[in-house]
Amino acid sequence: MSEAMNGTDIVLSLNGIRRSFAQGEKRLDVLRGVNAAVKAGELVALVGPSGAGKSTLLQIAGLLERADGGEIHIAGQMASSLDDAGRTALRRDRIGFVYQFHHLLPEFSALENIVLPQMIAGVTRKQAEIRARELLERVGLAARADHRPAKLSGGEQQRVAIARALANRPALLIADEPTGNLDLHTAEAVFAMFQQLVRGEAAGGARLGALVATHNMELAQRMDRVVEMRDGVLVER
Ligand code: ADP
Ligand code: MG
């Protein structure tokens, strides 16, 4: 299949991803040949016990860390053979990442946190602000645009982090336990918003697909598909 054809519907493809860590004298084989594909429009839950390798896999899929072996395609582009500059550009243009802890820049407002990644990608400040305000509106935080992260609640911080991850209209959204740090009620509200936003972006022609690690089986079941990390590989549930 040509890359162009691939790119029309597969936003993430992982083939034989391997990663080991040295642990004292021993070697810990965390990823032993992970295969996975996420399609545009699809919301895929990644589950598995603590220490199973979910974060390791998401960091590799998000081009934040390198694998020891295997192939990665992001929106039809071969990522695993790119140099650091190529990886950085692909990550910036095609991937949005949401962490368990918001990782917002503390000295900037909610609006600025969503504006900055767009300006880094070459969007004018004016256009970036229009997009940022629209996203803040959609996460229900239009009135908090000028607040710094410290002035926001945990749920609000995650909403801003989600809006930021979508700022550059990524093809792939990766989230590592995005509601793991929230109380159940807030987690529920943030997840509902997350789901709506991903579906809205996908429907709006952004061809967005998402891979979301979660401990919460109830939330996982509400996604389109659930995959589980087990003994270093992914199995469909
Ligand atoms: P999960 O997110 O599923 O809880 P992780 O991917 O964080 O799991 O970790 C998987 C395993 O890999 C754990 O045993 C962890 O201690 C180990 N690990 C993760 N990152 C490193 C690292 N940089 N160096 C050494 N060991 C690591
Ligand atoms: Mg983790």
Side-chain angles (χ1 to χ4, degrees):
M1 201 195 295
S2 75
E3 295 224 321
M5 273 178 75
N6 248 338
T8 57
D9 63 343
I10 308 279
V11 297
L12 170 67
S13 142
L14 300 173
N15 257 296
I17 299 298
R18 290 181 290 104
R19 182 73 169 112
S20 304
F21 296 112
Q23 221 175 48
E25 307 275 272
K26 288 193 290 184
R27 201 184 65 176
L28 185 65
D29 298 319
V30 176
L31 307 178
R32 302 166 177 245
V34 171
N35 301 314
V38 176
K39 286 189 220 152
E42 203 178 31
L43 195 56
V44 179
L46 172 62
V47 301
S50 183
K54 302 182 295 299
S55 293
T56 301
L57 183 65
L58 293 182
Q59 299 268 321
I60 288 170
L63 308 184
L64 295 165
E65 298 284 344
R66 281 184 186 275
D68 296 329
E71 277 191 3
I72 307 173
H73 286 81
I74 308 282
Q77 243 194 291
M78 165 77 101
S80 29
S81 60
L82 292 174
D83 62 12
D84 284 344
R87 289 162 59 87
T88 300
L90 187 55
R91 187 169 65 232
R92 179 192 66 213
D93 295 338
R94 311 304 274 148
I95 304 174
F97 212 108
V98 181
Y99 302 86
Q100 181 171 354
F101 301 97
H102 58 82
H103 283 257
L104 296 170
L105 298 171
E107 67 275 32
F108 292 98
S109 70
L111 185 84
E112 289 165 339
N113 267 281
I114 305 170
V115 162
L116 281 171
Q118 297 179 75
M119 290 183 68
I120 291 167
V123 176
T124 64
R125 172 175 279 274
K126 190 160 173 243
Q127 283 303 314
E129 282 191 11
I130 292 170
R131 170 81 173 151
R133 288 196 192 281
E134 173 199 308
L135 283 165
L136 281 171
E137 180 92 36
R138 281 159 66 194
V139 299
L141 291 177
R144 299 275 192 280
D146 298 327
H147 291 229
R148 289 189 181 189
K151 301 285 181 198
L152 302 172
S153 71
E156 290 172 338
Q157 289 167 344
Q158 281 308 71
R159 286 170 190 251
V160 176
I162 293 164
R164 176 184 60 179
L166 292 171
N168 286 334
R169 297 186 166 80
L172 172 65
L173 182 65
I174 295 178
D176 195 355
E177 313 219 22
T179 63
N181 189 38
L182 306 173
D183 65 76
L184 276 183
H185 178 76
T186 308
E188 167 62 38
V190 170
F191 178 75
M193 186 228 79
F194 179 86
Q195 199 168 22
Q196 200 179 20
L197 207 53
V198 170
R199 301 229 187 279
E201 284 289 305
R207 316 261 335 132
L208 177 69
L211 182 60
V212 184
T214 182
H215 261 114
N216 185 326
M217 274 317 292
E218 202 265 314
L219 295 186
Q221 300 295 351
R222 280 155 55 191
M223 300 191 215
D224 299 315
R225 209 147 57 73
V226 181
V227 292
E228 181 176 3
M229 275 300 294
R230 200 186 288 167
D231 299 326
V233 297
L234 275 185
V235 292
E236 206 81 25
R237 281 181 55 127

